[in-house]
C-alpha cells in the first residue's frame, strides 16, 4: 500500500519580482504574486527562495524578508518551503534559522554550485547536517540534473541522505526519466516516509505517470491551474486526460526550460508573468538580462496556448 505523505501535493516555486533596474525587490508585486498563486485551488504550498526565486542572487536579509512576507500574506494552510543556497555550511545554517523564525514550515537545501566540479559523500552529508542543526525543520533534499556533476547525488549517497534526521522529501530534478524512476524506487524502498516530488518541468507528465508524491515546480507559478489539472489527472489514473493536458504544458515548458542558456529560466518565468499581467516588470537581478524581443514573442505564443486549456471536471 502506498504511503501517504503529509507534504504531498503541488507546490508552486515562486519568483521574486524586482524593480525596473533589478536592484531591489518589488515587495508590492511579490505580495500580490504570492497571494495569487497560493489561493489557486489545488496548490498545497509554495517553494519560496528556490532557483525560480533567484536564491543564488539574494542576500541573507532579502531571503528572510521574502519568507516573512510569504507567511504574512498566505493562509496558515499554505505550506511554505524555504529554499536555502550557500557554499558556506554555517551561512546556510543561519538561513535555516532565519526561515524558521520567519514562519517557514520546511526547508529545501540546494547543493552548492561548486559541487558541479567535484565533491565527496562526507562533504555533502556534513553540509546537510550543519544546515539544519539548529532549526531542526522538516528538510527536503534537492536531487539535481544528471549533467550537473556532484550536485546529482549518486544512489549510495542519496540513500544516506534520505536517512538523515528530519528529511521528509526529495525534490527530484534529475531531468532524465530513467534516473528519476530509479531514485523513486530507491527512496520508497529505503525511506518510505520520505516523499519523492517530481520537478522536471519539461517532462512532468512522464514523471507523474511513473509515480510521484507531489511536485515542486515553477510552471505552477505561471499556469498553476494547468499544472494542478495535470497532476490530478495522473493521480486519478486518467491517462487520456493527462495526455491532453500535456499538449498545453509542453510548448511552454520547452520555451522556458528547453532554451539555451538554462540559467536564464527565471528571466523567462518573469517575462511570462509580465505578459500575463501579473508583474509590472520582468527584470531579473543582474547579471542575468531580461529576455529579448524574439524570445519574448516565443514565450507569448506558448503562454497563450497554455492558458487556453480547459479542465474536464
Amino acid at each position: 500500500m502506498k504511503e501517504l505523505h503529509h507534504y504531498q501535493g503541488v507546490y508552486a516555486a515562486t519568483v521574486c519580482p524586482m524593480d525596473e533596474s533589478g536592484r531591489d525587490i518589488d515587495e508590492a508585486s511579490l505580495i500580490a504574486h504570492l497571494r495569487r498563486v497560493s489561493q489557486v485551488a489545488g496548490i498545497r504550498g509554495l517553494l519560496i527562495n528556490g532557483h525560480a526565486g533567484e536564491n543564488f542572487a539574494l542576500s541573507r536579509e532579502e531571503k528572510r524578508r521574502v519568507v516573512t512576507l510569504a507567511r504574512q500574506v498566505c493562509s496558515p494552510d499554505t505550506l511554505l518551503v524555504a529554499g536555502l543556497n550557500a557554499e558556506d555550511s554555517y551561512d546556510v545554517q543561519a538561513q535555516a534559522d532565519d526561515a524558521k523564525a520567519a514562519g517557514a514550515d520546511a526547508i529545501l537545501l540546494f547543493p552548492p554550485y561548486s559541487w558541479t566540479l567535484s565533491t565527496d559523500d562526507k562533504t555533502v552529508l556534513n553540509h546537510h547536517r550543519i544546515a539544519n542543526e539548529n532549526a531542526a525543520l522538516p528538510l527536503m533534499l534537492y536531487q539535481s540534473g544528471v549533467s550537473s556533476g556532484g550536485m546529482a547525488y549518486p544512489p549510495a549517497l542519496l540513500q544516506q541522505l534520505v536517512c538523515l534526521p528530519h528529511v521528509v522529501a526529495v525534490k527530484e530534478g534529475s531531468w532524465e526519466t530513467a534516473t528519476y524512476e530509479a531514485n523513486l524506487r530507491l527512496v520508497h524502498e529505503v525511506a518510505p516516509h520520505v516523499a519523492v516530488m517530481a520537478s522536471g518541468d519539461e517532462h512532468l507528465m512522464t514523471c507523474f505517470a511513473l509515480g510521484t508524491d507531489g511536485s515542486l515546480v515553477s510552471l505552477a507559478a505561471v499556469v498553476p491551474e494547468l499544472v494542478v489539472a495535470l497532476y490530478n489527472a495522473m493521480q486519478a489514473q486518467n491517462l487520456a486526460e493527462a495526455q491532453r493536458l500535456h499538449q498545453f504544458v509542453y510548448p511552454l515548458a520547452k520555451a522556458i526550460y528547453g532554451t539555451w542558456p538554462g540559467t536564464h529560466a527565471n528571466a523567462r518565468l518573469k517575462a511570462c508573468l509580465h505578459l500575463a499581467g501579473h508583474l509590472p516588470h520582468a527584470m531579473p537581478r543582474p547579471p542575468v538580462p531580461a529576455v529579448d524581443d524574439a524570445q519574448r514573442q516565443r514565450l507569448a505564443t506558448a503562454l497563450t496556448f497554455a492558458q487556453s486549456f480547459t479542465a474536464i471536471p
Side-chain angles (χ1 to χ4, degrees):
M1 181 177 177
K2 182 180 177 181
E3 181 160 333
L4 296 177
H5 298 283
H6 174 69
Y7 292 93
Q8 69 186 112
V10 176
Y11 294 73
T14 53
V15 304
C16 186
M18 301 289 175
D19 63 15
E20 288 185 273
S21 70
R23 180 180 296 276
D24 297 315
I25 294 175
D26 180 349
E27 291 196 0
S29 295
L30 175 60
I31 288 170
H33 173 57
L34 297 171
R35 180 179 289 121
R36 181 184 64 83
V37 177
S38 67
Q39 291 178 351
V40 171
I43 293 294
R44 174 72 167 126
L46 302 180
L47 168 58
I48 49 181
N49 294 336
H51 284 155
E54 297 172 85
N55 62 13
F56 48 86
L58 300 182
S59 69
R60 176 184 167 187
E61 292 73 21
E62 288 173 323
K63 293 175 189 177
R64 181 171 56 225
R65 181 62 177 163
V66 171
V67 180
T68 297
L69 291 174
R71 189 70 285 166
Q72 288 175 357
V73 304
C74 294
S75 163
D77 295 333
T78 299
L79 292 178
L80 296 182
V81 182
L84 313 177
N85 192 347
E87 296 286 336
D88 177 354
S89 296
Y90 288 112
D91 183 353
V92 86
Q93 182 186 86
Q95 292 179 35
D97 296 345
D98 290 345
K100 182 175 184 177
D105 297 294
I107 52 177
L108 170 63
L109 182 55
F110 290 90
Y113 290 118
S114 65
W115 294 357
T116 302
L117 300 176
S118 67
T119 188
D120 64 351
D121 290 9
K122 186 174 181 179
T123 298
V124 175
L125 291 166
N126 279 345
H127 191 65
H128 283 78
R129 290 190 181 106
I130 292 170
N132 203 28
E133 188 172 22
N134 294 336
L137 280 168
L139 171 63
M140 295 186 180
L141 309 173
Y142 183 78
Q143 177 68 4
S144 189
V146 293
S147 62
S148 61
M151 294 170 65
Y153 307 134
L157 176 55
L158 180 60
Q159 180 171 338
Q160 295 179 76
L161 286 168
V162 295
C163 293
L164 289 175
H166 308 296
V167 172
V168 296
V170 180
K171 176 175 161 65
E172 219 299 337
S174 289
W175 228 262
E176 196 274 324
T177 52
T179 304
Y180 173 84
E181 181 173 5
N183 288 339
L184 175 74
R185 290 174 178 271
L186 171 67
V187 175
H188 281 179
E189 178 182 353
V190 303
H193 63 286
V194 174
V196 178
M197 320 282 272
S199 66
D201 300 74
E202 287 184 82
H203 47 258
L204 277 181
M205 197 200 97
T206 307
C207 293
F208 287 176
L210 288 169
T212 189
D213 300 309
S215 187
L216 299 98
V217 287
S218 48
L219 272 182
V222 177
V223 283
E225 295 87 355
L226 177 55
V227 174
V228 167
L230 176 63
Y231 177 76
N232 288 342
M234 284 310 313
Q235 290 295 297
Q237 299 185 6
N238 188 342
L239 181 59
E241 173 64 357
Q243 289 174 322
R244 185 185 73 85
L245 293 168
H246 177 65
Q247 299 308 310
F248 294 94
V249 172
Y250 186 78
L252 182 60
K254 290 298 290 184
I256 294 173
Y257 302 98
T259 302
W260 186 90
T263 52
H264 290 191
N266 60 299
R268 299 181 195 116
L269 290 165
K270 287 184 171 181
C272 287
L273 288 166
H274 179 62
L275 287 163
H278 298 312
L279 292 183
H281 312 294
M283 196 56 200
R285 175 157 284 176
V288 175
V291 300
D292 59 30
D293 290 341
Q295 192 171 175
R296 184 181 175 88
Q297 184 55 54
R298 289 193 294 272
L299 289 167
T301 300
L303 178 63
T304 299
F305 180 60
Q307 291 174 322
S308 72
F309 94 101
T310 54
I312 296 176

